[in-house]
Amino acid sequence: MKKAVPMFFIFFLINVFCFGQLKFSANTGIMGINIDEIAWDKKSEDAQILSLLEWRTYAAPVISLDAQIKFADIFLFGIKGSYVIPFSYGQIEDFDYMNLLSTAGKERTHYSKHDNNLKNYINANLFFGAGNKILKNLNLSLLFSLKYSYYNLNAFNGYRQYGEVSGLAYNGENIYSPWKQSIEKKQMTGNIITLESHKLFFGIGSRLDYYPLDKLCISLYLNLLPALLSQTRDTHHKRKTPYNLFDFTGEFAFDSSLLVEYKITKNLAFT
C-alpha cells in the first residue's frame, strides 16, 4: 500500500477588491511542496515501511484567484483556485528496505537521489454557505465546498546506491547487503519516476469573522475535507512494470487559515 501526503506553504500579499456584495482577490507568491510517498510491506498494525520517497519542491511561483458574492447579507457563494507555474527546483530521495521481504530485516538496502521537476499543480474550489451575526462584531458562517486538486512531479537524472545481493531467502526473495555511504554512486539519466495524483474532496467547514475596527477584519477558516475520489499513479520508468495506480479510500484533508484584512478604501483592501 502506498500513501502520498502533500503539504505546502505559501507566503503572499493579497489585493482584495470589493464592489458592493462582490469581493475579488488576486495574489502571487511562493510555494514549497513536501510529499512523502510510503509503501508498506503489509496491511496490518505492525506494518513496516518498505519504501519511502521524499519529494521536495522549493520556491515554486503560484498565482491564486478568489471571487465570492453575498446575497441578503446571509448567503455566500464563491469560487477560488491556484495554479503553480512549472518553474521550480526540487529533489527527491528514495529509501528502500528490501530485506523486509526476505528476512524481515529493517536495515536500509537501497538509496537514490534525483532532481525533481514540478510539471503541474492545480487547485480549484467551489463553495457555498450561509452565516449571520452572533455578536455585534462577530459573524459565523457554515460552508460547504467541492475541491479538486491535481499535481504532477517528475524525477530525473541523479544517482543510485544499491546494496549487493548477498543471498537468496527460502521464499525466493533476494537478500541484500545493508546500504553504506561508501557504496559507489552509479549515475542515472533520463526520466526515473513520475508521480501524478487526482483528488476530489467534499468540504464541511466554518468561517469566523471578527471586526475589532471598522476597517479591520480578522477571519478564521476551518475546513474538513473527506475524499470523494483519490487516485495516484506512480510510474517507475526504468522498471519492466511501467506504473502502479493507487486508489485511496477513507482519505481526508484538513484546511485552515487565519487572515487579517485592512480596508484602504471603499473598494480596496490588503490581507
Side-chain angles (χ1 to χ4, degrees), residues 18 115 133 236:
C18 306
D115 291 322
K133 288 185 179 181
H236 282 65

Side-chain angles (χ1 to χ4, degrees), residues 29 101 223 237-238 257:
L101 300 176
N223 198 19
H237 299 283
K238 302 298 184 181
S257 63

Side-chain angles (χ1 to χ4, degrees), residues 102-122:
S102 55
T103 64
K106 299 180 182 179
E107 65 275 4
R108 188 199 308 177
T109 59
H110 294 41
Y111 174 76
S112 64
K113 189 174 184 178
H114 315 282
D115 291 322
N116 169 30
N117 177 37
L118 175 66
K119 299 178 71 175
N120 217 328
Y121 201 121
I122 299 171

Side-chain angles (χ1 to χ4, degrees), residues 2-267:
K2 288 212 173 184
K3 183 180 182 182
V5 182
M7 297 172 287
F8 52 87
F9 50 89
I10 310 175
F11 300 96
F12 51 68
L13 181 66
I14 305 177
N15 297 311
V16 182
F17 305 94
C18 306
F19 304 97
Q21 297 298 308
L22 175 64
K23 180 183 289 187
F24 176 79
S25 64
N27 63 83
T28 60
I30 298 297
M31 174 182 285
I33 303 170
N34 295 340
I35 298 177
D36 291 342
E37 185 185 355
I38 303 172
W40 307 89
D41 63 335
K42 54 187 174 182
K43 291 184 178 181
S44 64
E45 292 184 357
D46 60 344
Q48 300 291 329
I49 293 177
L50 180 63
S51 177
L52 169 63
L53 287 79
E54 295 182 346
W55 299 81
R56 302 292 182 258
T57 300
Y58 311 104
V62 61
I63 300 173
S64 297
L65 299 174
D66 186 345
Q68 54 183 283
I69 187 168
K70 205 169 186 180
F71 300 96
D73 285 329
I74 297 177
F75 302 103
L76 185 68
F77 174 80
I79 57 174
K80 60 182 178 179
S82 62
Y83 172 70
V84 179
I85 300 172
F87 178 79
S88 64
Y89 170 73
Q91 290 185 326
I92 171 179
E93 293 183 278
D94 186 354
F95 308 86
D96 293 324
Y97 307 84
M98 301 305 295
N99 285 343
L100 280 169
L101 300 176
S102 55
T103 64
K106 299 180 182 179
E107 65 275 4
R108 188 199 308 177
T109 59
H110 294 41
Y111 174 76
S112 64
K113 189 174 184 178
H114 315 282
D115 291 322
N116 169 30
N117 177 37
L118 175 66
K119 299 178 71 175
N120 217 328
Y121 201 121
I122 299 171
N123 283 293
N125 194 356
L126 175 69
F127 61 94
F128 58 93
N132 211 336
K133 288 185 179 181
I134 56 175
L135 294 174
K136 180 180 179 181
N137 297 328
L138 195 64
N139 287 9
L140 177 64
S141 301
L142 178 64
L143 301 176
F144 301 93
S145 62
L146 284 174
K147 180 179 180 179
Y148 172 74
S149 176
Y150 169 75
Y151 57 83
N152 186 320
L153 302 102
N154 182 60
F156 62 98
N157 298 339
Y159 66 87
R160 63 180 175 87
Q161 294 174 296
Y162 290 178
E164 295 183 355
V165 177
S166 60
L168 199 64
Y170 72 93
N171 60 0
E173 296 285 350
N174 289 330
I175 301 173
Y176 295 92
S177 300
W179 174 86
K180 296 183 294 185
Q181 287 186 345
S182 58
I183 294 176
E184 179 186 359
K185 295 179 180 179
K186 295 187 177 181
Q187 298 300 312
M188 305 179 72
T189 58
N191 291 332
I192 309 299
I193 307 171
T194 297
L195 182 65
E196 184 179 18
S197 182
H198 298 266
K199 299 178 185 291
L200 179 65
F201 299 94
F202 174 73
I204 305 172
S206 62
R207 191 179 77 184
L208 198 63
D209 297 316
Y210 174 57
Y211 299 87
L213 302 171
D214 290 340
K215 294 185 177 182
L216 184 64
C217 177
I218 301 173
S219 299
L220 175 63
Y221 177 72
L222 303 172
N223 198 19
L224 182 65
L225 298 156
L228 302 176
L229 169 70
S230 182
Q231 293 184 335
T232 299
R233 174 173 291 180
D234 177 308
T235 305
H236 282 65
H237 299 283
K238 302 298 184 181
R239 293 182 183 175
K240 293 181 180 179
T241 302
Y243 66 86
N244 291 308
L245 183 66
F246 304 97
D247 295 297
F248 300 122
T249 57
E251 182 180 3
F252 68 91
F254 180 74
D255 185 18
S256 65
S257 63
L258 179 63
L259 300 177
V260 179
E261 178 181 309
Y262 184 77
K263 204 165 186 178
I264 304 298
T265 66
K266 179 180 179 181
N267 298 323

